[in-house]
């Protein structure tokens, strides 16, 4: 195991994060604050409680999930795509590192960044709404697993992407709609019966629901199912990454 | 001497069907400087990329320091430093950071002193804290070399190190290479500047159309194949070579004023004395004599042309 390599990849990715602190840090905080102001205070005050929780507080887990998912995907995909784009990938390919070490370095850093942003948003939320987290350890576990699994997804996308447009494609056209429609801002019980069934095909529903349960103790789907869903998603991503590793897909000619 | 890099019957066919290497074999000795000489598209970069692990080979076997580059890639790659042809650097990083990154990537513990030492030798001592994008093209190339040397490699690959580099920097680069050789580093460089190979290499390998056409000691190559030409400028033109001179294999220029005689510098007798005597006997007078030695370039062009036929 080349631990030094993991360390330097992780470190250099993190330093990029702190170098572009305004872009990677302030912008998600700012946009979440805007969500709180608009949905929490302005509109939220006219919305009745959802499942016994004030609407402003109800959207907190969803908001964190929305940001964490998009951030870990885009961080990881950019992290591995950038060396491909500027050509520095030659160094990774000629170094005595295994693909696993590369994945741990890049995915670990992307997940860490997303986790930090998630915690900052949570901190910001306390300024706007009253929050009481019922299962803090479960909350952390869900958050970490989500960061990791979506960073893995992002890593795959970054390997796959041939240009910047493709890099944006999946986060923009797939992840964002799935998160918005995955009950981030509503309980799926508010949907008409038919759409309640359809929405169960959206994997994000399980993640948001489980995460919200860790806050309020109420969930759209059973917590066990949520855990199974995120576990399955992580395994699927890991499997794909393993396949890339075996075949050298899109990396080694 | 044992070979530190051993390439056996390596073929590489790219996905599009293009065969870049057609059974290349090459033994590189520890401590030597070998120049891979070949025209553009000959397969130089593919060969280097394959040894370094950037491209996978279709068939064949490569060992570096006795380690198979596929089965034992960690051990093999740890020994190699690669300076790519393109200036591939992250523009926003600091020089010192990008070089330390390379060291870590190759599994070496951080060693600020060593990294700074490398940068100083490459005249980058005062640029360590600069961002890469602030540097000139020549400086960036030195950063690439520093990155390749950061993990103390035993074999250094330089892919067209002086392409697009000014004369002064080229001379600097040659000095650096000579210095590294002194430290025992084996150096493989690709180039299409013949003068570069002539100036710094111990051995020359000529590659074209994915095949190694020749590997030879540079000096042997020059002397073995380095024929000399003797041009005799006559006072009055001739239409045909006199019978008495037929055995010399002379060629006559179109205007009939120049006779060219080719001889081997290593031959026991060059035949010049008898030739000049015979010319006089044949009743010809001359006003000037010149000799010229073929350079590596002539040899190279000759080989590549032969290969094309």
């Amino acid at each position: 195991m080349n631990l030094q390599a993991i360390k330097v990849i992780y470190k250099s990715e993190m330093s990029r994060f702190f170098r572009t602190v305004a872009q990677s840090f302030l912008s998600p905080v700012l946009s979440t604050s805007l969500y709180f102001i608009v949905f929490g205070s302005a509109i939220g005050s006219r919305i009745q409680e959802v499942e016994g929780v004030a609407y402003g507080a109800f959207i907190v887990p969803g908001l964190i999930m929305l940001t964490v998912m998009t951030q870990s995907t885009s961080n990881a995909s950019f992290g591995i795509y950038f060396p491909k784009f500027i050509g520095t990938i030659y160094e990774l390919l000629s170094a005595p590192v295994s693909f696993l070490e590369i994945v741990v370095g890049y995915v670990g850093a992307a997940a860490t960044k997303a986790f930090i942003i998630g915690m900052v948003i949570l901190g910001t939320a306390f300024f706007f709404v009253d929050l009481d987290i019922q299962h803090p350890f479960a909350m952390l576990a869900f958050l970490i697993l989500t960061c990791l699994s979506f960073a893995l997804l992002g890593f795959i996308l970054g390997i796959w992407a041939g240009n910047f447009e493709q890099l944006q494609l999946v986060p923009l056209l797939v992840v964002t709609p799935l998160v918005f429609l995955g009950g981030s801002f509503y309980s799926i019980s508010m949907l008409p019966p038919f759409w309640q069934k359809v929405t169960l095909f959206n994997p994000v529903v399980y993640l948001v629901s489980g995460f919200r349960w860790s806050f309020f103790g109420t969930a759209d789907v059973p917590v066990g199912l949520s855990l199974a869903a995120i576990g399955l998603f992580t395994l699927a991503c890991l499997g794909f990454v393993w396949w890339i590793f075996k075949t050298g897909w899109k990396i080694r000619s | 001497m044992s070979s530190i890099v051993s390439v056996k019957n390596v073929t590489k066919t790219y996905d599009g069907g293009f065969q870049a290497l057609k059974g290349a074999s090459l033994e590189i000795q520890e401590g030597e400087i070998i120049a891979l000489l070949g025209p553009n598209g000959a397969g130089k970069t593919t060969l280097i990329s394959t040894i370094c692990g950037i491209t996978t080979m279709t068939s064949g076997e490569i060992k570096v320091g006795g380690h198979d580059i596929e089965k034992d890639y960690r051990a093999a790659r740890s020994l190699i430093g690669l300076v790519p042809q393109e200036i591939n650097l992250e523009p926003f990083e600091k020089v010192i950071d990008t070089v330390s990154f390379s060291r870590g990537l190759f599994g070496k513990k951080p060693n600020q002193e060593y990294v700074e030492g490398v940068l100083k030798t490459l005249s980058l001592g005062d640029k360590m804290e600069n961002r890469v994008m602030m540097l000139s093209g020549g400086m960036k190339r030195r950063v690439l070399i520093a990155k390749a040397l950061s993990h103390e490699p035993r074999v250094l690959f330089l892919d067209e190190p002086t392409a697009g580099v000014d004369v002064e920097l080229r001379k600097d680069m040659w000095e650096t290479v000579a210095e590294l050789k002194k430290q025992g580093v084996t150096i493989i460089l690709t180039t299409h500047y013949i003068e570069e190979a002539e100036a710094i290499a111990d051995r020359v390998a000529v590659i074209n159309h994915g095949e190694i056409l020749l590997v030879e000691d540079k000096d042997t190559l020059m002397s073995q194949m380095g024929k000399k030409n003797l041009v005799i400028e006559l006072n009055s033109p001739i239409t045909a070579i006199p019978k008495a001179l037929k055995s010399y294999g002379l060629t006559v220029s179109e205007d009939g004023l120049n006779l060219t005689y080719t001889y081997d510098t290593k031959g026991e007798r060059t035949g010049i004395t008898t030739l000049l005597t015979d010319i006089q006997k044949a009743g010809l007078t001359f006003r000037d004599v010149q000799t010229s030695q073929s350079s590596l370039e002539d040899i190279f062009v000759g080989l590549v042309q032969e290969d094309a036929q």
Side-chain angles (χ1 to χ4, degrees), chain B residues 205-220:
Chain B
V206 178
I207 178 167
N208 198 25
H209 297 302
E211 283 172 294
I212 308 255
L213 301 179
L214 163 134
V215 189
E216 192 60 90
D217 198 78
K218 183 187 68 190
D219 297 330
T220 320

Side-chain angles (χ1 to χ4, degrees), chain B residues 281-298:
Chain B
K281 276 187 192 160
L284 301 176
T285 52
F286 49 88
R287 58 174 181 194
D288 200 4
V289 193
Q290 294 164 22
T291 63
S292 60
Q293 182 160 27
S294 58
S295 65
L296 200 49
E297 180 147 7
D298 300 324

